[in-house]
Amino acid sequence: MQKPPYNVASTTVTINDVVNHLSFPVLIHYPTMDVSTPNNFGPFTIDVAVDGTIPDGQFPLVIISHGKSGSQYLYRTISTHLAARGYIVAMPEHYGNNRRDNVLSKSVKNLEYRPQHLSLVIDFLLNDSDFHSQIDTTRIAVIGHSFGGYAALAVAGGKAYSMQAEEIATKRDHRVKAIVLMAPAAGYFSPDAALSAITVPILLYIGSQDHHTPKQWTADVILKGVPNPELVRLREIQNAGHFSFISPFPEAMTSPDFLPSTDPEGFDRSAFHGELPKEILAFLNDSLSTI
């Protein structure tokens, strides 16, 4: 296998939401020529150069939005693959809806905050961070899993509604030029015309054995709602479940009692994550290069 052009560097920044008086951390993986070594991030080991130097040049930016009760470390197979091939990848830990603090999980505020905070991450990286001069502002994408898929749809122009049919205050971010959705929580966009403003390319993954966000709540809603279904690349992964899109957990954490670590019988998550980042990279290279 051909060696990637870069090693992967890692750093963490804090984003301040001055309007809502809160802050949240953002893990960033990015290309570097510095030597990388195995580093522990909680229970995970990731081969990175901590606070490494980013090379000169212009790199596309990708934001990854985790699912409910999730973590910024759960998509490391994707983030490191992209960073080693010239992407800056930012992964916020969503305030009030993460593994450590889930107080906003079922609230309207969470529906409002999620897409807002994706835009705040972009604002910060383009204006106030050490990366601002090395981000190609015309090549920005969002990847979202589960409830992170909701956030990606909202920031791309979707008009969301709560389960009580209350319209959610979201705002399209025109800087986002492509989105990748993995088992997205698309039911918030079921009303007619809720997705009519989305005009960016979409790579949509669903699992054939996903009982949390089944096809009728994901692919059917999106293909019916967007103005040009030809912009949607649908990938139905056979025998995959809702959590199959999360990077594999260490063996010590894998248990039938820990649902995020489980897959339908016979599904090989490790093998799948050997291919998933490659597909996402190819989609982003193609979609963002056409801008």
Side-chain angles (χ1 to χ4, degrees), residues 9-229:
S10 175
T11 195
T12 299
V13 299
T14 299
I15 304 292
N16 294 309
D17 179 351
V18 297
V19 174
N20 296 305
H21 309 290
L22 57 89
S23 62
F24 54 93
V26 180
L27 174 68
I28 305 173
H29 287 161
Y30 56 97
T32 187
M33 301 306 295
D34 295 353
V35 175
S36 61
T37 58
N39 285 265
N40 293 327
F41 296 85
F44 308 114
T45 301
I46 310 176
D47 196 35
V48 294
V50 176
D51 296 327
T53 303
I54 188 170
D56 292 335
Q58 290 272 292
F59 303 97
L61 171 64
V62 176
I63 315 297
I64 300 181
S65 181
H66 64 71
K68 282 186 177 181
S69 310
S71 160
Q72 63 272 54
Y73 303 113
L74 296 185
Y75 310 94
R76 62 197 180 279
T77 46
I78 299 170
S79 63
T80 55
H81 187 85
L82 294 178
R85 289 153 182 85
Y87 280 74
I88 297 170
V89 186
M91 297 159 280
E93 181 182 79
H94 286 287
Y95 179 88
N97 190 207
N98 60 69
R99 74 196 192 285
R100 300 183 298 175
D101 176 11
N102 211 22
V103 66
L104 297 180
S105 176
K106 298 181 180 180
S107 69
V108 169
K109 281 191 178 299
N110 193 36
L111 293 167
E112 295 174 348
Y113 286 173
R114 281 276 195 146
Q116 289 176 13
H117 289 168
L118 297 185
S119 291
L120 281 179
V121 172
I122 297 172
D123 289 344
F124 175 84
L125 292 175
L126 294 189
N127 297 293
D128 300 316
S129 74
D130 294 336
F131 300 96
H132 74 276
S133 63
Q134 285 145 310
I135 295 175
D136 184 342
T137 59
T138 69
R139 302 175 70 198
I140 298 175
V142 173
I143 300 171
H145 174 231
S146 190
F147 202 62
Y150 154 81
L153 284 165
V155 83
K159 183 179 293 186
Y161 295 82
S162 71
M163 294 308 175
Q164 291 73 42
E166 176 185 2
E167 185 175 343
I168 305 302
T170 61
K171 183 179 179 181
R172 179 180 181 182
D173 192 326
H174 290 272
R175 297 171 297 186
V176 174
K177 304 301 183 184
I179 58 175
V180 178
L181 308 174
M182 303 181 295
Y188 297 98
F189 305 96
S190 296
D192 291 343
L195 297 175
S196 61
I198 294 186
T199 57
V200 299
I202 299 172
L203 176 58
L204 170 59
Y205 287 96
I206 61 173
S208 68
Q209 300 301 314
D210 185 349
H211 304 298
H212 295 270
T213 52
K215 187 175 182 179
Q216 65 267 30
W217 295 352
T218 53
D220 292 354
V221 169
I222 292 168
L223 290 170
K224 176 185 175 183
V226 298
N228 184 3

Side-chain angles (χ1 to χ4, degrees), residues 201-205 229-235 282-283 286-287:
I202 299 172
L203 176 58
L204 170 59
Y205 287 96
E230 291 185 2
L231 288 175
V232 181
R233 302 185 192 179
L234 175 61
R235 288 278 286 116
F283 167 78
D286 180 48
S287 298

